[in-house]
Amino acid sequence: MFAYEDGLLLTGARLWLDVRRRQARSFVSHAHADHMARHELALCTPETGRLYQARMGRRAVREMRLGEAIDFGPLRLTALGAGHCLGSAMLLADDGERSLLYTGDFKLGESATAAPCEPRHADWLVMESTFGRPDYRLPPRSVVIQQLLETVHGAFADGRTPVIHAYALGKSQEVTKLLTQHGVPVMQHPVVWKMSRVYEACGVTLATGDADVTCYEVRNGARPLAGHAVVTLPQGMKAYRLPGLGAVTSIAVTGWAAAPNAPYRLNVDHALPLSDHADFDQLIEFVERVEPSRVLCTHGPRSFVDELRTRGWNAEPLAPEPQKRLF
């Protein structure tokens, strides 16, 4: 039903999944750069299609609405909510005898800007396992949101501009909506603003109540508006800088903030564990809800495979060990 050839391929349908090399056809689980390429045909949700084209230019897309099955070659395909970012979807493939669930990036639990994750039973499960170590048990979302608000208002009280560093697509819009829901207006880096316009076009309102969302003008003399938080790119990206911010309190929002040295490693004043990936406990819960006969893990530590095996699951890494590929 499937093969791994530097990427996952559904063999009967000749459909690649989230491959980063241009292919005749590929399922695109969401519009982050590490999950897509300029394919001849992309299968994805309507929202991912709009984001994909905003990033890759006009491309051929076959839309898959969440929960609606389509026939594609010998397979019955269903896109299911992944809870990761706007338009993110898992893929359930059924050939009439067996079923396979491919997660892509996913998160159980609440999101302000993404459809909730919808686990379903499958015979085989191919799952992302980024935070597959027990030390990545993240605090409750409500606690992290409160920490974010306290940090932002603390910066205002000190006469500083709170600057939140987040990926342009997904986390930036999530943080923006969380802030505006609590009365904090936001100015966004132009790259973030471009993605936010697509969110708005898809019906996801980021400004709420009296808290507006505006684009930070990158020009000489630009200044943040008083009482506004600024959402920009991660410190590691060259384009993150914005002129005229003055005294700032820098904040990173990422699941990697669970590491004790995160503020130092991320070069920020504060690192808050607001994640759009499943943490360790959610990964275990997900497997238990899907109840597969076989689990293949990707984008995570090998120790998570061992953890699943100790719990009685038939688990192994998706990709073969590098040395095994040579012979």
Side-chain angles (χ1 to χ4, degrees):
M1 187 176 184
F2 67 93
Y4 183 85
E5 302 173 10
D6 287 332
L8 190 63
L9 173 69
L10 298 180
T11 51
R14 298 301 300 174
L15 178 67
W16 293 88
L17 307 184
D18 278 348
V19 71
R20 296 187 64 186
R21 308 180 309 279
R22 176 185 171 92
Q23 298 293 337
R25 46 198 185 183
S26 177
F27 173 72
V28 177
S29 67
H30 64 286
H32 283 154
D34 57 338
H35 288 258
M36 61 184 185
R38 290 181 172 85
H39 304 298
E40 294 177 30
L41 175 66
L43 278 67
C44 56
T45 65
E47 297 83 1
T48 291
R50 296 185 76 155
L51 291 163
Y52 171 70
Q53 292 185 338
R55 296 193 128 183
M56 293 290 192
R58 297 294 298 176
R59 315 296 307 170
V61 169
R62 179 169 179 178
E63 294 184 351
M64 301 179 66
R65 298 190 179 277
L66 294 179
E68 296 181 6
I70 65 170
D71 292 320
F72 195 83
L75 299 178
R76 188 81 165 161
L77 303 178
T78 307
L80 303 170
H84 179 62
C85 65
L86 177 64
S88 61
M90 305 183 292
L91 185 68
L92 180 65
D94 194 316
D95 66 2
E97 297 181 2
R98 298 155 297 179
S99 58
L100 178 147
L101 179 63
Y102 168 75
T103 68
D105 292 344
F106 75 98
K107 173 179 68 66
L108 298 177
E110 184 181 356
S111 171
T113 54
C117 188
E118 304 175 78
R120 286 195 192 176
H121 169 70
D123 300 312
W124 292 333
L125 171 62
V126 179
M127 68 180 301
E128 172 263 333
S129 55
T130 298
F131 293 131
R133 296 204 308 266
D135 47 336
Y136 283 99
R137 286 185 166 101
L138 304 184
R141 175 180 167 91
S142 59
V143 171
V144 181
I145 293 173
Q146 186 60 36
Q147 291 174 338
L148 173 64
L149 295 171
E150 290 174 355
T151 305
V152 166
H153 286 294
F156 289 148
D158 292 339
R160 305 174 73 85
T161 299
V163 177
I164 297 97
H165 295 272
Y167 286 117
L169 192 166
K171 189 67 67 63
S172 284
Q173 290 74 30
E174 181 79 4
V175 168
T176 294
K177 185 156 187 176
L178 291 174
L179 291 174
T180 62
Q181 283 177 336
H182 291 86
V184 179
V186 172
M187 300 187 75
Q188 295 182 337
H189 187 289
V191 174
V192 175
W193 174 259
K194 178 182 177 182
M195 294 296 100
S196 293
R197 296 311 93 212
V198 182
Y199 269 62
E200 295 277 356
C202 291
V204 179
T205 302
L206 299 179
T208 59
D210 295 329
D212 59 357
V213 180
T214 56
C215 182
Y216 192 100
E217 296 292 338
V218 181
R219 55 181 173 79
N220 292 333
R223 294 288 186 275
L225 297 176
H228 283 62
V230 173
V231 176
T232 188
L233 306 174
Q235 289 261 30
M237 300 180 70
K238 293 181 180 179
Y240 84 90
R241 295 183 184 276
L242 292 171
L245 291 180
V248 305
T249 295
S250 56
I251 308 162
V253 283
T254 170
W256 299 113
N261 65 342
Y264 173 79
R265 185 168 54 84
L266 298 172
N267 193 29
V268 293
D269 299 316
H270 304 272
L272 304 178
L274 185 70
S275 180
D276 50 16
H277 289 263
D279 72 355
F280 179 81
D281 289 332
Q282 288 186 5
L283 292 171
I284 298 296
E285 178 186 346
F286 189 88
V287 176
E288 292 171 345
R289 291 173 66 175
V290 175
E291 295 185 308
S293 58
R294 184 182 181 193
V295 186
L296 297 162
C297 300
T298 183
H299 297 105
R302 173 57 191 260
S303 61
F304 184 67
V305 172
D306 298 331
E307 176 71 29
L308 290 179
R309 288 175 175 173
T310 64
R311 293 171 181 258
W313 298 102
N314 178 17
E316 59 188 280
L318 172 63
E321 296 295 335
Q323 63 269 26
K324 294 181 181 178
R325 300 182 199 174
L326 302 177
F327 303 101

